[in-house]
Amino acid sequence: MESPISAANSTSKVKVEYTDPSGVFPLIASEIQSRLPLRNLNWNSPGRPVRSIESLHIDLYPDEKTSVSQLPKRSASLAGLGDHGGQDQPPTPTVGESSRQSARLGPNRERRHQIPGLTRTPYLKIYLLRCDDVEIYKNSSRKLLREWIKANVPSSHNSAGSSNQENHDAFEWLIIHVVLPDPQGNTIWPSKVSASVADKVRSDFNSSSRSSTDRVAQIPATKSLQVQGSTVPGIPSGAGREPFLQESARAWDDLVGKTKGLILSSFDLRVRQYEEDIKEKGSQRNLPGWNFCTFFVLKEGLARGFESVGLVDDALAGYDELSAELLSALREEATKAASGADTRLFREHTHELLLQAEAALEDKEDHSTPASHKQLNTSIFDVNKKSYRDLILSNNISAFDFRAYVFARQVALLLRFAAQVPPGGNTGPRKSPKHAPRDPSLLAEICRRAISFIADLARLIRQDLKVSFKARGDASKFSPAARHNIIENIVMSYVYSAAKQILAKTQDPSLPDRPDLTQEEDGEDEYEDDTASLSSPKSDLFERHISSDEQVPPPRTLEQQLVTPQPKGNDFSYEQTPPNLGGRNSSSSVTMQLATRRGELFLIARRSLNAVAARKGWTRTSWHGYANMNFEEEQLDDIVLGNETNRNVREDSKIEPSKSMSPLAAILDQSMRISLSTEEGFYRTYEMLSLAAFKLFHHSQDKKSAYSITADIASLRFQTKEYSSAATYLMELAPFYAHDDWVDLEVSILEMYAFCLKKLGRKEEYVRIGLRTLAKSACATKAWGSSRAALAERSNNAARGNLESIDSLATESKSLSESVVIDMEDLFSNIQIQPYVQHEEKQDRFWLTLSFNSLLQDGFTAHEAQGGIFNSSEGQNKEIWLKSDGPSMITGWYDFGTIALEVQKISIQYKCGKGEGHPAEKATLEVPARSQVPRVLLWSSHRAPRIRASVYSLIHLEQPRSIYIEIQSGDDASASTRLVLKSATAGLRLHTAEAEVVVGDCQTFNKTQPSTVSFESLLPNAKVGVKIPYKLDTDTKEIIIRSETTYETEHGTFLHGETHRLFIQLPLGVNVQDIFKEHSLFSKFAISTATGIPLRVISCELKETDDYVADTPYVDTKGLCVFSKQPVSLVYRIKPNDKAAARRDSGQRRLSMHIAYQCLDEEILSTVQNCFVESLKSSGFWKYVGLLLPHLTAALRRRLTHPELETVGLLREVRMASYSELDWTAVLSAVSPIERDGIAFWLQHWHTSNQTILLLDEIHNIEDVSAVPTRRIIIPVEIPRLHILHTASLSVAKPHPARPFTVGNAISAELGIRYTRAWCGEMGTSSEPQSFYYDLEAPSDTWLIAGRRRALFTASESESKRFPILLHPLRAGKLMLPMLEITAAKDDKRAADGRPLGCEVDYESMGVAVEVVLGMTSVTSEIEEGEVNGGVGILEVERK
């Protein structure tokens, strides 16, 4: 049997044997060592692609004779080396550990085996020749060479008739002539003598064929020698040094090249012979007597040959094929055994496993001390612990050993393949492959294969042991439970050991689980086979020495669990690194894959550990135990009925007490036994393995696996009552399982989390998590439905003892400062809000019906229900909250924002729209808004008070504007009424302190309270009108006001809220144009519509004052209609009462215009409303007036467009829209279905009967306009000031009838001018004369003005100035007189007060024309007869 070291080297290096009869090997050993391993070999075999071998390791050892002859001379001199002599030479240097071991073997050489592949034979044999003279060569050396060739090289070596056995062990041979340094100092190399010897050897031993291989090489020995007391340098100095070195390098390169070629040649022969034999044996598979084991050894020999030359991938492929064929053979054997045939290929059981089981079953010693069976080697990767190949050949190997051997060889090849050094590396000392970087993808492949193998390993061991016990005659003395426990413990030991050894060999520096527990021994061969060290004790990754008195480390949070274990004595310390489960890692995909595989191996080790612990009753790591656990019970170690462990315990109870076994019997792994020695030690190791796996899964971004491990740790902490740390883990887990919709797991985690919070006294979080637990449980119930009723019942029963109820959570919430919010849809289904309201009798309030189906197991009591609504059409975002016991009344279309059921400090909310939400929602959870928002139309009862708002009917432009609030009390008298007005428009301020009652006898009080107007008692159906001034900072056309009226009746106190939208833009515009006369002022007022809505001006009066009187035009009883393109113009003459007083200004120069008007849209709405109300009172549906009348008003207002209004204004009649056009269907949805059809029928009848409604045509009494609202506006009219008014006229003499004005003849005229200051109104005005300019202007083609056309004159007030003017007409026709313009002189352009002097002209000759004809003496005309074509024609004209 080969030694372990020899076996390790057998698959790593190529054997090369040398013969050294002259002892020259020590002189060239260092040179050979520097050129090993051989680099960059190319194997070119027929039928194969060229394969590159980066490095080929050589096991260079002497033959038998050389070894024996050199053993006593390791320190001898080289004095007998030919003529040169020499003494005190160094001992023979070694070329690796294998040479040293082979030298110790002496003459016991291994013999050739009859089955190829079982023994190691050299690929190359070398003869080291030392000969310094041709004659010596002829006399002795040549004979020695021939004898060596005859003894080592078979006769058929160079022929085609070599046997198969010889080809399996094919080798080549090589003669190396070693030339020693020349004592004579000859620096030329090779010398003539040495060249002659080399040539003589080639001619004697090389083949004469040109294609034959040169088997002779010549190299110099460069080591210095001691010859006769003097030193002979191996390398000459001086000028011959460089040529010597160059030639020496060429010689060594030649030797290396020949060595490569010869080794590859013998390797090629071996491969071809192996392939032929494998093909032949494979074709005989179905023949009787075919042996799989022999075939396996033959094919493995080829794989080991590939491995020896460094073709690891080819060797691995060979072992993969062998593994597949082995599995196929095992399946075939199992199939035939099932049919009853006896075709046993392998041994039925493994002897070592049986010994381990027997030792455990018969162990009755104190279990606190290690027994002998506990020290058994549990490694399955040590190929040297058994002679596996001998067992295979003898068909005496079990399936377990066979699978273990093949897998160990595969792992060794993968490890070597992963650690191969790339070409081009330095030739100096290298790090061990264990410290060199390795390929992560190959390490991941090892882990992947190990995971699959470990699963088969457990099955094989169980089957093996069961067969072993069955074959034993005395196995019946042990109970089935005892045998079962022993088998499972052995299986778990091997699984645990296999997992930890694979983990130890696949460590990678980039992974976070690296516990650096392995140290290489000094002198270990750097290319030692990894299979020999897979089971080394120093690679025990989980070696823990936890004593029974050792304390479990304190709980760590999820932020602290990403730790790197570092060895520190017999324990571990942890170095924290921050976690980030959702983050991205920079590791490559292959490293992530390796991390995943290693994490799975950690979990396999943890499961094996946990399986043994479960049989000891340590089940706190089991989720099954949690599901059946009552949280409130203090004892957590109760036996779970139906558990396999308990069944085993019951079976073990049959055994006599003296024969009872320890649960740790047959636990063969020392670290595993230590971990299971105490419950605390087990939980600590369990957590350590979990954390290591967690870090790996986190590194590989496998979130699900990482969170699964976190859940295991949380369950362990929870069941060991470490509630604080368990709560930290559970807090991280719940969102993850919620995101992936793992409802059962999420509910279980939330239950544990809530219980932890309860135990820790964190009430607010406890209530919130308890509600979420109920929500998730209810959600699962809703999702399962009837099809999964059984599953829902099972889940509910399992959690019934631990799931909290709403009432219990509400009890805990009493002490909370803020409410906890939960979504109503999480607890209820089929949530519906009825779209119609119902009013109470004798109660001015309404209610809405909310229906839903509860998904909870237990009921609860809500002390209050609230509903938040908002009117989005009016820009209202703030919700109005309605309460179940609140007496409130609001009107209009509203969207539901939030519905809330209040249970102590728990608020169950259903958020329908986009309102700002319930106040409690800000502090806790966010309830999602629904896309479909339910709408409801709220309307007031007929017996409730009515609140109307409008712009006050009287507007005085010089006073603040006001709004008018009309309150009409309901059917009940109110003891007190409080009106609160709130502005919904930016910049609007209501002055409620200045409120004034303008309608009714009621008085206001408590005016100091902001935005509030309070009234005394109101009788039933009383009407009160209040005028409230307001101020607006911004220019807007409308304002929004919200009113809240609180009133107290004999039935209680009620609240009525309503929103009012008021258009405050003035509907009319007034423009004035003034014309000054000397004694009166004519003002023309143009009244137009400002909004496009037609108006009806009922009266327009300019009020007189003490100083001025005005003549008002007549307006008939029908009024004046004002349209957008048809304004109304009224002219008023204003005269002073006393000219002197007016001239000297008494200070009263302002008049006021009073306009009474009606807006056509208000007139239409009022007329239609009155008609509708009168009909509704007699219909029997009067109680729906609060619903129908507002909709009719709003619908009509939307339909009154400007063209429609103008048509109504002209025809004075309203054409009513049909029933469908007014969209009564949407309104009737707010009515109970019982009366909905009756109201619809009545509305259709009313529309049919009132297709046209006439408007009031005449108004005889302005004060009696109750049917139509009439508005009034008071506009101040300022009398304009004018400093100077000139009155001028251009007088032209009347022409004689016989002598008209003719073209070209001058016309004499006289210009008269006077001025007055009557309209100035300034006291103490200077009476001194003033200077003015006048200027006559006329078209250049009409008049030629002669005389003083432009002149400066000075005059006093009322002084008349006259200026003669000559006018020359330039064309015939009626010619307008020239225009006149008068301006003040430059020195008199300002009045006495310094203001610019205003000056206007009342030109009396404006528009006066004179007729000018052409100059002529006679005209002859003709008068034609006839009634149709008759006429007068001019025949001749005689001009002057």
Side-chain angles (χ1 to χ4, degrees):
M1 178 178 174
E2 297 172 339
S3 67
I5 297 181
S6 176
N9 293 334
S10 64
T11 58
S12 303
K13 302 178 182 180
V14 172
K15 294 187 71 174
V16 176
E17 182 183 87
Y18 68 90
T19 300
D20 185 15
S22 302
V24 296
F25 180 78
L27 301 177
I28 61 174
S30 60
E31 291 287 346
I32 296 176
Q33 176 71 27
S34 65
R35 287 168 173 80
L36 294 181
L38 301 179
R39 303 283 182 179
N40 301 326
L41 289 79
N42 295 315
W43 175 45
N44 189 3
S45 179
R48 290 176 178 269
V50 178
R51 301 303 305 274
S52 297
I53 303 174
E54 296 181 1
S55 61
L56 181 63
H57 298 276
I58 302 298
D59 183 10
L60 189 61
Y61 67 96
D63 62 354
E64 180 180 352
K65 294 182 180 180
T66 304
S67 299
V68 174
S69 63
Q70 290 184 358
L71 276 176
K73 301 178 182 180
R74 295 179 62 90
S75 301
S77 66
L78 297 179
L81 292 181
D83 297 336
H84 303 298
Q87 49 187 324
D88 299 331
Q89 295 299 321
T92 304
T94 60
V95 190
E97 183 66 22
S98 61
S99 299
R100 190 165 59 244
Q101 296 293 337
S102 298
R104 297 191 187 103
L105 293 178
N108 297 327
R109 302 199 53 193
E110 53 189 23
R111 301 168 58 185
R112 176 178 294 175
H113 200 282
Q114 61 179 349
I115 298 179
L118 288 180
T119 57
R120 267 184 93 224
T121 57
Y123 282 69
L124 178 64
K125 294 185 177 182
I126 299 176
Y127 186 90
L128 298 178
L129 173 64
R130 184 237 174 188
C131 184
D132 302 326
D133 187 80
V134 177
E135 293 301 327
I136 296 176
Y137 167 74
K138 292 179 180 180
N139 296 330
S140 60
S141 297
R142 179 162 53 185
K143 181 180 179 181
L144 293 175
L145 284 173
R146 285 175 179 171
E147 292 177 355
W148 177 77
I149 292 175
K150 182 178 180 181
N152 290 277
V153 180
S155 59
S156 59
H157 185 270
N158 294 324
S159 64
S162 58
S163 64
N164 293 344
Q165 182 65 38
E166 291 174 351
N167 286 341
H168 280 299
D169 297 330
F171 67 91
E172 293 289 347
W173 55 275
L174 178 64
I175 300 173
I176 301 178
H177 180 213
V178 180
V179 182
L180 298 182
D182 189 358
Q184 305 300 326
N186 185 13
T187 60
I188 300 176
W189 194 91
S191 63
K192 293 182 179 180
V193 176
S194 61
S196 300
V197 173
D199 293 339
K200 195 64 177 176
V201 175
R202 289 189 182 94
S203 64
D204 290 339
F205 296 100
N206 278 345
S207 175
S208 60
S209 175
R210 292 186 177 180
S211 60
S212 62
T213 304
D214 185 7
R215 301 179 183 274
V216 179
Q218 182 176 240
I219 58 174
T222 58
K223 193 164 187 147
S224 300
L225 299 177
Q226 293 292 331
V227 180
Q228 297 179 356
S230 62
T231 302
V232 179
I235 301 176
S237 58
R241 178 181 178 83
E242 288 301 326
F244 177 84
L245 292 177
Q246 294 177 3
E247 293 299 329
S248 175
R250 292 191 188 99
W252 279 104
D253 291 343
D254 177 67
L255 174 61
V256 171
K258 290 178 180 179
T259 303
K260 291 179 181 179
L262 292 174
I263 291 176
L264 291 178
S265 176
S266 58
F267 173 70
D268 184 66
L269 287 174
R270 295 190 182 196
V271 169
R272 281 187 285 174
Q273 186 60 51
Y274 270 113
E275 289 177 341
E276 291 177 5
D277 292 347
I278 291 171
K279 184 176 181 182
E280 179 183 357
K281 291 294 183 180
S283 63
Q284 301 172 359
R285 184 183 297 270
N286 297 325
L287 296 179
W290 186 82
N291 190 289
F292 173 78
C293 293
T294 304
F295 174 77
F296 177 88
V297 172
L298 181 63
K299 195 167 184 177
E300 188 191 15
L302 176 61
R304 292 166 74 91
F306 283 128
E307 184 183 4
S308 66
V309 298
L311 295 176
V312 183
D313 49 349
D314 293 271
L316 181 62
Y319 276 104
D320 289 344
E321 294 176 3
L322 287 174
S323 178
E325 291 175 354
L326 175 60
L327 291 176
S328 177
L330 291 173
R331 285 193 295 267
E332 183 179 354
E333 180 186 17
T335 303
K336 292 181 179 180
S339 62
D342 186 11
T343 56
R344 186 173 62 88
L345 295 178
F346 312 109
R347 188 175 179 178
E348 290 184 351
H349 66 276
T350 305
H351 182 67
E352 287 77 4
L353 292 178
L354 181 58
L355 291 178
Q356 293 167 356
E358 289 177 347
L361 286 171
E362 296 175 358
D363 185 16
K364 304 181 183 63
E365 302 296 332
D366 183 9
H367 302 297
S368 62
T369 60
S372 59
H373 72 276
K374 300 172 187 175
Q375 304 300 329
L376 292 177
N377 186 7
T378 59
S379 172
I380 59 172
F381 301 116
D382 186 2
V383 296
N384 297 324
K385 69 177 182 178
K386 290 184 182 181
S387 55
Y388 284 104
R389 307 193 78 196
D390 293 339
L391 294 175
I392 294 172
L393 279 177
S394 62
N395 286 348
N396 195 27
I397 189 170
S398 65
F400 166 71
D401 283 340
F402 214 147
R403 287 294 312 279
Y405 172 73
V406 174
F407 179 72
R409 294 295 299 132
Q410 290 174 311
V411 171
L413 290 173
L414 284 169
L415 286 173
R416 181 179 174 186
F417 197 18
Q420 282 184 342
V421 180
N426 55 44
T427 59
R430 299 188 305 274
K431 292 183 180 180
S432 171
K434 296 179 177 60
H435 294 163
R438 297 185 292 181
D439 188 353
S441 62
L442 294 177
L443 297 181
E445 176 65 16
I446 294 175
C447 295
R448 184 192 67 81
R449 295 189 181 203
I451 292 170
S452 176
F453 171 75
I454 290 174
D456 293 342
L457 172 72
R459 178 181 57 81
L460 287 173
I461 296 177
R462 287 189 182 95
Q463 182 179 356
D464 194 305
L465 289 174
K466 288 179 181 178
V467 173
S468 300
F469 283 126
K470 187 176 181 182
R472 280 177 58 96
D474 58 346
S476 60
K477 67 179 181 180
F478 302 106
S479 67
R483 293 196 303 268
H484 174 78
N485 286 342
I486 291 300
I487 292 174
E488 290 302 316
N489 285 356
I490 292 176
V491 170
M492 294 302 109
S493 298
Y494 274 94
V495 168
Y496 187 87
S497 178
K500 74 175 184 179
Q501 291 177 53
I502 293 296
L503 286 169
K505 279 301 177 182
T506 56
Q507 296 180 40
D508 189 87
S510 62
L511 296 184
D513 69 323
R514 188 176 73 256
D516 191 11
L517 298 178
T518 59
Q519 297 291 335
E520 290 189 88
E521 296 179 356
D522 295 337
E524 183 182 357
D525 184 40
E526 60 179 312
Y527 293 101
E528 181 186 352
D529 194 346
D530 282 322
T531 55
S533 62
L534 277 173
S535 60
S536 174
K538 62 181 179 291
S539 62
D540 189 353
L541 185 63
F542 311 136
E543 189 68 37
R544 305 290 296 265
H545 303 283
I546 305 177
S547 61
S548 59
D549 59 346
E550 215 170 349
Q551 297 296 325
V552 179
R556 294 183 299 277
T557 63
L558 187 61
E559 289 76 14
Q560 296 173 324
Q561 63 182 321
L562 281 177
V563 295
T564 303
Q566 302 293 338
K568 186 177 181 181
N570 294 331
D571 206 344
F572 285 96
S573 62
Y574 292 90
E575 179 181 340
Q576 299 183 9
T577 56
N580 182 13
L581 283 179
R584 301 284 300 176
N585 291 327
S586 60
S587 56
S588 63
S589 59
V590 292
T591 306
M592 294 166 60
Q593 184 180 7
L594 174 59
T596 300
R597 299 303 183 193
R598 286 179 60 83
E600 293 173 0
L601 285 172
F602 273 107
L603 292 184
I604 289 175
R606 193 190 71 172
R607 282 195 294 268
S608 63
L609 192 72
N610 193 39
V612 180
R615 287 191 290 275
K616 297 188 66 174
W618 301 340
T619 58
R620 297 183 183 181
T621 60
S622 172
W623 278 84
H624 176 71
Y626 153 76
N628 295 275
M629 182 179 63
N630 190 338
F631 293 170
E632 297 297 338
E633 294 181 359
E634 294 297 330
Q635 298 295 332
L636 299 178
D637 297 330
D638 292 345
I639 295 178
V640 180
L641 296 179
N643 189 286
E644 181 66 24
T645 303
N646 300 323
R647 288 198 297 269
N648 297 337
V649 172
R650 291 195 298 272
E651 292 177 358
D652 289 341
S653 63
K654 302 177 183 178
I655 307 176
E656 296 179 7
S658 60
K659 295 183 180 181
S660 60
M661 294 180 301
S662 168
L664 298 182
I667 298 299
L668 308 176
D669 189 272
Q670 185 68 12
S671 62
M672 188 177 187
R673 174 174 287 275
I674 294 174
S675 297
L676 293 170
S677 59
T678 62
E679 186 175 4
E680 291 181 354
F682 160 66
Y683 289 137
R684 185 173 184 178
T685 305
Y686 180 91
E687 186 172 344
M688 185 271 291
L689 296 175
S690 300
L691 291 177
F694 173 86
K695 289 183 290 183
L696 289 167
F697 286 127
H698 173 264
H699 186 81
S700 64
Q701 301 180 19
D702 187 352
K703 293 183 180 179
K704 291 185 178 179
S705 299
Y707 275 106
S708 176
I709 296 172
T710 307
D712 294 338
I713 300 176
S715 176
L716 174 61
R717 294 292 179 87
F718 177 81
Q719 296 186 63
T720 54
K721 299 182 181 181
E722 299 178 28
Y723 297 122
S724 180
S725 60
T728 305
Y729 288 116
L730 294 169
M731 178 180 62
E732 298 286 344
L733 288 171
F736 171 74
Y737 290 113
H739 180 268
D740 288 350
D741 293 332
W742 292 4
V743 180
D744 290 343
L745 278 175
E746 185 186 2
V747 170
S748 299
I749 288 171
L750 289 175
E751 288 177 14
M752 291 192 294
Y753 188 28
F755 187 80
C756 293
L757 296 174
K758 184 177 182 180
K759 288 295 184 181
L760 295 173
R762 294 153 61 178
K763 291 187 177 181
E764 181 176 354
E765 296 179 67
Y766 163 66
V767 173
R768 184 160 48 87
I769 298 302
L771 289 174
R772 183 173 294 176
T773 306
L774 290 174
K776 291 299 180 179
S777 179
C779 180
T781 303
K782 179 169 61 175
W784 290 330
S786 59
S787 62
R788 299 187 64 184
L791 182 59
E793 184 67 21
R794 175 192 62 77
S795 178
N796 290 336
N797 289 339
R800 182 175 298 273
N802 304 320
L803 201 62
E804 300 289 348
S805 64
I806 292 290
D807 288 336
S808 62
L809 294 174
T811 303
E812 296 290 337
S813 69
K814 290 181 179 179
S815 59
L816 301 182
S817 58
E818 297 178 343
S819 296
V820 180
V821 179
I822 187 173
D823 190 2
M824 187 177 293
E825 279 195 337
D826 291 341
L827 304 178
F828 310 127
S829 63
N830 300 327
I831 303 173
Q832 295 180 355
I833 303 173
Q834 292 185 359
Y836 53 87
V837 300
Q838 300 179 18
H839 295 87
E840 294 186 11
E841 292 293 335
K842 298 183 180 181
Q843 297 285 336
D844 295 341
R845 60 184 180 183
F846 64 93
W847 72 85
L848 294 169
T849 303
L850 172 67
S851 62
F852 50 81
N853 295 333
S854 176
L855 301 174
L856 302 174
Q857 300 173 4
D858 303 320
F860 65 93
T861 302
H863 66 272
E864 186 179 48
Q866 300 182 19
I869 58 177
F870 62 95
N871 193 336
S872 59
S873 62
E874 297 183 357
Q876 175 185 341
N877 293 324
K878 186 177 181 180
E879 290 179 328
I880 301 174
W881 283 94
L882 307 177
K883 297 184 178 181
S884 56
D885 56 350
S888 59
M889 176 69 67
I890 55 178
T891 60
W893 279 103
Y894 286 90
D895 297 331
F896 269 96
T898 306
I899 300 174
L901 299 178
E902 304 295 333
V903 188
Q904 297 300 335
K905 287 298 185 67
I906 297 176
S907 179
I908 306 174
Q909 295 188 12
Y910 180 77
K911 191 170 184 179
C912 310
K914 299 179 180 179
E916 63 179 10
H918 192 276
E921 184 180 339
K922 300 177 181 178
T924 54
L925 306 178
E926 181 178 355
V927 180
R930 274 71 188 173
S931 58
Q932 296 182 353
V933 180
R935 302 196 70 196
V936 63
L937 178 58
L938 305 180
W939 49 281
S940 60
S941 173
H942 67 286
R943 65 186 313 280
R946 300 178 187 175
I947 312 298
R948 297 186 181 91
S950 61
V951 179
Y952 188 54
S953 59
L954 177 60
I955 299 176
H956 198 300
L957 294 184
E958 290 187 331
Q959 297 177 3
R961 300 180 65 178
S962 304
I963 61 173
Y964 177 73
I965 304 295
E966 181 183 278
I967 304 175
Q968 185 174 358
S969 61
D971 294 346
D972 298 326
S974 61
S976 64
T977 303
R978 183 167 61 93
L979 175 65
V980 178
L981 299 176
K982 298 180 180 180
S983 170
T985 301
L988 175 63
R989 295 193 295 273
L990 300 173
H991 302 289
T992 55
E994 302 176 10
E996 179 184 355
V997 178
V998 294
V999 176
D1001 298 333
C1002 185
Q1003 299 296 325
T1004 62
F1005 64 93
N1006 194 19
K1007 293 184 178 182
T1008 58
Q1009 189 172 359
S1011 304
T1012 303
V1013 180
S1014 301
F1015 303 94
E1016 297 175 350
S1017 60
L1018 296 178
L1019 297 176
N1021 297 318
K1023 182 183 295 186
V1024 176
V1026 183
K1027 182 186 72 169
I1028 302 175
Y1030 70 90
K1031 185 177 181 180
L1032 192 62
D1033 296 337
T1034 59
D1035 187 11
T1036 181
K1037 295 181 179 180
E1038 64 178 11
I1039 59 176
I1040 300 176
I1041 300 173
R1042 297 191 185 97
S1043 64
E1044 294 181 2
T1045 306
T1046 304
Y1047 56 97
E1048 182 180 356
T1049 67
E1050 59 180 352
H1051 302 292
T1053 303
F1054 303 96
L1055 173 66
H1056 181 96
E1058 196 164 351
T1059 301
H1060 311 278
R1061 185 184 296 270
L1062 307 180
F1063 293 90
I1064 61 174
Q1065 184 181 9
L1066 290 176
L1068 55 79
V1070 178
N1071 294 324
V1072 62
Q1073 181 181 0
D1074 296 322
I1075 302 174
F1076 286 94
K1077 296 295 183 181
E1078 187 174 5
H1079 302 293
S1080 62
L1081 173 65
F1082 291 89
S1083 296
K1084 178 182 178 181
F1085 292 88
I1087 303 174
S1088 61
T1089 173
T1091 60
I1093 299 176
L1095 305 175
R1096 187 180 184 187
V1097 178
I1098 299 172
S1099 65
C1100 185
E1101 181 181 2
L1102 192 61
K1103 295 293 185 178
E1104 297 180 354
T1105 63
D1106 295 338
D1107 296 325
Y1108 296 93
V1109 295
D1111 296 334
T1112 302
Y1114 171 73
V1115 178
D1116 62 4
T1117 56
K1118 293 183 178 181
L1120 302 174
C1121 293
V1122 181
F1123 297 96
S1124 59
K1125 297 182 180 180
Q1126 182 183 334
V1128 170
S1129 297
L1130 299 175
V1131 179
Y1132 296 83
R1133 186 176 65 178
I1134 303 172
K1135 297 185 297 182
N1137 280 340
D1138 186 353
K1139 294 182 180 181
R1143 183 177 297 116
R1144 292 295 179 261
D1145 190 10
S1146 63
Q1148 299 293 330
R1149 299 183 57 84
R1150 178 176 296 182
L1151 305 178
S1152 60
M1153 175 173 282
H1154 295 246
I1155 303 176
Y1157 64 95
Q1158 295 174 348
C1159 296
L1160 186 58
D1161 58 342
E1162 294 179 350
E1163 183 180 358
I1164 294 172
L1165 292 176
S1166 178
T1167 304
V1168 175
Q1169 285 175 354
N1170 292 334
C1171 177
F1172 185 80
V1173 168
E1174 293 298 327
S1175 300
L1176 187 61
K1177 286 181 179 179
S1178 60
S1179 65
F1181 299 109
W1182 174 247
K1183 63 180 181 179
Y1184 293 103
V1185 63
L1187 171 67
L1188 302 179
L1189 186 60
H1191 175 73
L1192 176 67
T1193 303
L1196 285 178
R1197 192 181 297 276
R1198 288 192 300 268
R1199 293 182 60 84
L1200 292 178
T1201 61
H1202 290 175
E1204 181 71 19
L1205 289 172
E1206 290 183 356
T1207 302
V1208 174
L1210 293 173
L1211 300 179
R1212 302 300 296 171
E1213 63 181 20
V1214 180
R1215 299 181 182 273
M1216 281 300 299
S1218 63
Y1219 172 86
S1220 59
E1221 290 175 340
L1222 291 187
D1223 194 18
W1224 285 106
T1225 304
V1227 178
L1228 295 181
S1229 63
V1231 179
S1232 174
I1234 300 175
E1235 296 186 356
R1236 189 177 299 167
D1237 294 338
I1239 299 176
F1241 178 78
W1242 177 84
L1243 287 172
Q1244 292 173 359
H1245 175 72
W1246 184 83
H1247 278 276
T1248 304
S1249 304
N1250 297 275
Q1251 296 182 0
T1252 302
I1253 299 177
L1254 298 178
L1255 299 181
L1256 186 63
D1257 198 14
E1258 294 185 4
I1259 299 177
H1260 300 282
N1261 186 1
I1262 298 179
E1263 300 299 332
D1264 187 14
V1265 290
S1266 59
V1268 179
T1270 301
R1271 300 188 179 277
R1272 294 177 177 83
I1273 185 172
I1274 299 176
I1275 304 174
V1277 179
E1278 187 79 18
I1279 302 298
R1281 295 177 180 273
L1282 183 63
H1283 292 98
I1284 294 176
L1285 174 63
H1286 292 273
T1287 302
S1289 62
L1290 184 62
S1291 301
V1292 179
K1294 295 182 178 180
H1296 192 274
R1299 298 183 62 85
F1301 297 141
T1302 60
V1303 176
N1305 293 329
I1307 301 174
S1308 60
E1310 186 180 31
L1311 176 62
I1313 300 174
R1314 66 179 183 275
Y1315 72 92
T1316 180
R1317 291 189 175 93
W1319 298 105
C1320 179
E1322 295 180 356
M1323 298 298 295
T1325 301
S1326 175
S1327 59
E1328 296 180 358
Q1330 283 188 293
S1331 300
F1332 302 93
Y1333 286 102
Y1334 78 85
D1335 189 3
L1336 288 173
E1337 295 181 355
S1340 59
D1341 60 345
T1342 302
W1343 296 103
L1344 180 62
I1345 302 174
R1348 300 182 65 180
R1349 178 176 180 175
R1350 177 180 176 85
L1352 172 66
F1353 67 94
T1354 302
S1356 300
E1357 184 179 1
S1358 301
E1359 179 184 357
S1360 178
K1361 292 287 187 178
R1362 309 192 72 83
F1363 306 95
I1365 301 297
L1366 289 179
L1367 301 176
H1368 296 270
L1370 300 179
R1371 61 183 178 87
K1374 288 187 176 182
L1375 305 179
M1376 293 292 182
L1377 292 178
M1379 296 299 296
L1380 176 65
E1381 181 179 356
I1382 300 176
T1383 59
K1386 183 176 182 181
D1387 297 337
D1388 297 327
K1389 283 189 176 182
R1390 292 191 176 272
D1393 58 359
R1395 291 180 298 174
L1397 187 65
C1399 183
E1400 288 190 9
V1401 179
D1402 179 16
Y1403 188 37
E1404 296 177 347
S1405 299
M1406 180 181 293
V1408 177
V1410 296
E1411 185 173 3
V1412 179
V1413 298
L1414 297 173
M1416 60 191 73
T1417 56
S1418 61
V1419 177
T1420 302
S1421 60
E1422 177 184 11
I1423 300 175
E1424 298 180 356
E1425 296 181 357
E1427 297 180 356
V1428 179
N1429 298 324
V1432 179
I1434 299 175
L1435 297 179
E1436 182 180 0
V1437 176
E1438 183 179 353
R1439 300 181 181 276
K1440 295 181 179 181

